[in-house]
Amino acid sequence: MTVTYQTGGGGSLDIDFWLKDPVGGTVVKHDRQSTGSISTTADKDGRYVYCFSNEMSTVSDKEVSFNVHGVIYVADEGVVAPIEREIRNLAIGLQSVKDEQEYIVVRERTHRNTAESTNDRVKWWSIAQTILLFAVCGWQIYYLQSFFEVKRVI
């Protein structure tokens, strides 16, 4: 069984993950990881439980995308036809391409959010600079006018 996960948004992009066997023993535990891939062989029959936890950051929600793949072993009954072996290999390759594509989509979403956030900050910084520029220009005009005013004492 293989579990791959990636945190796509929220907080500091870290999450806890653990995998437990049917008896309740911890097989794998990751603390504060943003991505992970766990491959394990099921030693015991039964239901394996996987859990994602956000207990260390209860303030922010997190988006987690994950894939669980169970390898199905088909017993070879004698000789396997070459075409059947090729079909199995193609199915495995197709699944790995699909997983990689899903991973790329999550990364693209994360990078797009970062770029949009940066663009928003640059926009507001430019607006603040423009306002400051006009304020300094206005102050300079006022200050220079005060030099050229004729001041009389009556």
Side-chain angles (χ1 to χ4, degrees), residues 122-133:
V122 167
K123 176 186 73 173
W124 287 111
W125 179 250
S126 298
I127 289 171
Q129 282 184 331
T130 303
I131 291 171
L132 184 64
L133 177 72

Side-chain angles (χ1 to χ4, degrees), residues 90-104:
L90 285 173
I92 291 168
L94 185 63
Q95 185 64 38
S96 67
V97 167
K98 180 184 169 205
D99 295 341
E100 188 68 25
Q101 186 178 17
E102 289 176 0
Y103 172 73
I104 289 171

Side-chain angles (χ1 to χ4, degrees), residues 5-7 24 27 34 37 40 44 61 68 81 87 90 96 105 118 124 129 140 143 152:
Y5 64 91
Q6 180 178 12
T7 308
V27 177
S34 60
S37 180
T40 185
K44 300 176 180 107
D61 295 333
V68 179
I87 289 173
L90 285 173
S96 67
V105 165
T118 304
W124 287 111
Q129 282 184 331
Q140 285 179 343
Y143 191 73
R152 287 188 170 162

Side-chain angles (χ1 to χ4, degrees), residues 39-52:
S39 295
T40 185
T41 303
D43 297 331
K44 300 176 180 107
D45 291 336
R47 177 177 289 180
Y48 281 73
V49 177
Y50 55 91
C51 182
F52 298 98

